[in-house]
Amino acid sequence: MPIVAGIDSSPSTTRVVVCDALSGKVMRKAAVAHAAAGDDDPHEWWNALVKACDGDILDGVQAVAVSGQRQALVVLDSAGGVVRPALMSSDYRAANSADDLVAEGGGAGAWAAAVGSVPTAAFPIAKLRWLAQREPENAARVAAVLQPHDWLTWLLLGGSAGPVTDRGEASGTGYWSPFSGDYRMALMAHAFGREVAVPRVLGPVEPAGTTSAGVLVAPGTGSAMAQVLGLSAEPGDVVISIGATGTLFAGGLPHPVSDPTGEVSGFADATGRFLAMMRTGEAMPTLEAAAKMMSVDLQTLSRLALESTPGAQGVVLVPPTAGHPGSLTGLRLARMTAPNLARAAVEGLLCGLADGLDALNVQMEAVGTPVRRVILTGKGARLDAVRLIAPAIFGVPVAVAVSGSSEDGAPGGLTSTGVFAALDATGVPRPGSGRPTGAAMLGGSEIMAIGAARQAAWVLAASTSPAGEAPAAPPTWSEAVMFKDSPNAKSGIGVGVRAQFAGAREAAMASMEILAAPMPAASTPG
């Protein structure tokens, strides 16, 4: 039985899973916490990886792959040393640099046409501009630029040969094009003032090399691409991660997307196809603030929300977004109940995500792959109210990922239907219904590690196949991840809730415009 391993280096945790390469069954796993900050020492990631792989966890492993947090910049000097702590994707110091680059490059549409995405502060190309302007001494020492999974893969291979990456990771830099499949070094030179070395981009099943112990190393990939692999997501599946922000992405697209508005970013995925992504505003902070306002915890907020009805009797919470404050409207004495306030918070969060899903679907339909299902992950996916209300708001089936191993939950495995309690005659989930049972819900880091392992299994199979007979797709894994479906909502429930939300948001924006308008000059008495 061939055995493979996946390693995920997330912002605060390094996780290792060891899987049966044929079925995906998780055989062993380990996790080690590491520092998480705006500037991270990349050596912390490596030390955590070594510690997570300590002991016999990798015994018998024949291939390994690494997934890593996307769009963090690791800069190396000519000797391969780290010049400065990594600039993480959550570091927004490069926001002005990104805006400058967009303007200098001809606007959002020109960037989307060139590299599939419009640079923001998260993109390495913007961080390079910031580095050149704010830390010229460090910038002068830079000889090569990598991202976290590139750097860790390089160290796994001994740190001597040239670094490598994959299409998915390269496509998030701002200087690699998913349309042409190559680097746009002129863009890097414009941003940084000169070209520096970049990792070679490997094909989906092209080995990166072997470790000193003879273990095959796959290309690895970025976090979103690894989640698509780990979930075995199919074309039309949209993963929505509900964390500090809402992140929506869909892989397996036949062509790259190009959104001239810059709302949706077009990347490559880890399978030779393409991925579309967009981010919404604050997600969990909305629910956390609502829970704090009500002096309850998140689980109680969720329970209360399920005691209200769709639309929360007209109470609407519009979460704040960048540049726009939120609002709480529709309050009347009879409506000012804890369940209505809780329901309004959950519906406000989901309506904001639904707007993002609509924008993403426009781009997906343009390449012939409309949304067919939503898979929820992240902290928000653990709340009953979010899972049970989501199908009505999104208008498509909704599922969450759970462990396929009976060791992580009740024995006997799971089915993908009939997991949550049915809706009652009014379409309102009964209080207390919907808590997942039977297996552990998977966190994002574990899903990514499983995705990396699945890539390793694919590369291993390709390496042992006769010439010209390498498998065209990753292996079908039946025992790694399974799904629990939320019950489908009655038709039309979500349409009314979204219309109510849209009206409240437009009213809030209109009031802000009135407040921002200059006051008329006072007339002077004659």
Side-chain angles (χ1 to χ4, degrees), residues 43-460:
H43 295 97
E44 291 277 350
W45 313 332
W46 176 249
N47 293 339
L49 185 154
V50 171
K51 188 174 181 179
C53 295
D54 198 16
D56 61 359
I57 190 168
L58 295 183
D59 282 2
V61 166
Q62 295 168 257
V64 64
V66 177
S67 71
Q69 49 196 310
R70 299 179 59 250
Q71 296 182 323
L73 185 68
V74 180
V75 287
L76 306 181
D77 61 23
S78 57
V82 176
V83 171
R84 70 174 315 283
L87 290 166
M88 309 308 294
S89 62
S90 57
D91 186 332
Y92 291 100
R93 286 178 290 181
N96 290 337
S97 298
D99 291 343
D100 291 344
L101 287 172
V102 172
E104 294 163 11
W111 278 94
V115 293
S117 306
V118 180
T120 65
F123 280 67
I125 193 169
K127 291 176 168 61
L128 284 173
R129 168 61 69 87
W130 180 90
L131 190 65
Q133 293 179 334
R134 299 301 183 91
E135 298 182 3
E137 292 183 359
N138 282 335
R141 295 174 54 204
V142 174
V145 292
L146 305 177
Q147 294 185 76
H149 117 260
D150 309 335
W151 191 73
L152 292 171
T153 299
W154 183 57
L155 292 185
L156 275 176
L157 295 170
S160 57
V164 296
T165 190
D166 87 306
R167 299 167 65 254
E169 195 79 285
S171 64
T173 59
Y175 44 82
W176 189 91
S177 171
F179 304 103
S180 62
D182 56 17
Y183 284 108
R184 301 290 299 272
M185 297 305 289
L187 294 175
M188 173 192 278
H190 175 77
F192 195 54
R194 61 190 174 91
E195 295 182 14
V196 295
V198 292
R200 182 169 64 90
V201 180
L202 301 176
V205 294
E206 186 177 355
T210 56
T211 69
S212 59
V215 177
L216 186 70
V217 180
T221 193
S223 55
M225 297 75 188
Q227 281 204 62
V228 170
L229 278 175
L231 292 167
S232 296
E234 299 178 358
D237 285 344
V238 174
V239 182
I240 300 184
S241 176
I242 308 176
T245 61
T247 305
L248 302 82
F249 51 93
L253 303 180
H255 308 288
V257 305
S258 177
D259 179 8
T261 70
E263 279 193 302
V264 178
S265 295
F267 302 120
D269 70 6
T271 70
R273 306 192 90 186
F274 303 91
L275 182 145
M277 174 186 289
M278 80 161 298
R279 296 182 186 275
T280 63
E282 292 183 342
M284 286 308 297
T286 297
L287 299 187
E288 290 163 353
K292 183 178 181 180
M293 181 174 68
M294 300 169 62
S295 298
V296 299
D297 60 22
L298 285 171
Q299 290 297 336
T300 302
L301 178 88
S302 175
R303 177 180 59 77
L304 288 168
L306 292 176
E307 294 177 3
S308 181
T309 54
Q313 293 187 312
V315 179
V316 182
L317 188 151
V318 178
T321 58
H324 298 285
S327 66
L328 181 61
T329 60
L331 297 176
R332 302 289 187 274
L333 287 178
R335 302 176 184 174
M336 292 173 65
T337 66
N340 283 343
L341 291 173
R343 180 87 182 203
V346 173
E347 288 181 344
L349 164 70
L350 291 172
C351 283
L353 292 172
D355 289 342
L357 185 63
D358 288 346
L360 188 67
N361 191 43
V362 168
Q363 299 302 319
M364 293 173 65
E365 287 184 334
V367 295
T369 311
V371 176
R372 72 176 190 93
R373 178 177 67 160
V374 163
I375 302 171
L376 294 177
T377 67
K379 188 176 181 180
R382 298 182 179 275
L383 298 177
D384 299 352
V386 169
R387 294 191 305 274
L388 287 165
I389 297 171
I393 306 299
F394 295 157
V396 295
V398 173
V400 294
V402 297
S403 172
S405 170
S406 61
E407 296 176 4
D408 289 333
L414 295 164
T415 59
S416 61
T417 58
V419 177
F420 295 125
L423 301 181
D424 66 18
T426 65
V428 183
R430 290 190 295 273
S433 70
R435 185 173 301 281
T437 58
M441 189 178 298
L442 292 174
S445 178
E446 187 162 359
I447 294 170
M448 295 172 213
I450 291 171
R454 188 166 175 239
Q455 184 197 62
W458 190 16
V459 173
L460 178 64

Side-chain angles (χ1 to χ4, degrees), residues 2-6 17-21 24-28 449-450 453 477 480:
I3 300 173
V4 294
V17 298
V18 175
C19 301
D20 177 341
K25 180 180 179 180
V26 176
M27 304 169 64
R28 300 185 289 272
I450 291 171
W477 277 7

Side-chain angles (χ1 to χ4, degrees), residues 447-491:
I447 294 170
M448 295 172 213
I450 291 171
R454 188 166 175 239
Q455 184 197 62
W458 190 16
V459 173
L460 178 64
S463 72
T464 57
S465 298
E469 297 182 20
T476 299
W477 277 7
S478 59
E479 297 187 39
V481 174
M482 299 185 76
F483 294 101
K484 287 186 173 182
D485 298 335
S486 296
N488 292 328
K490 287 190 175 182
S491 176

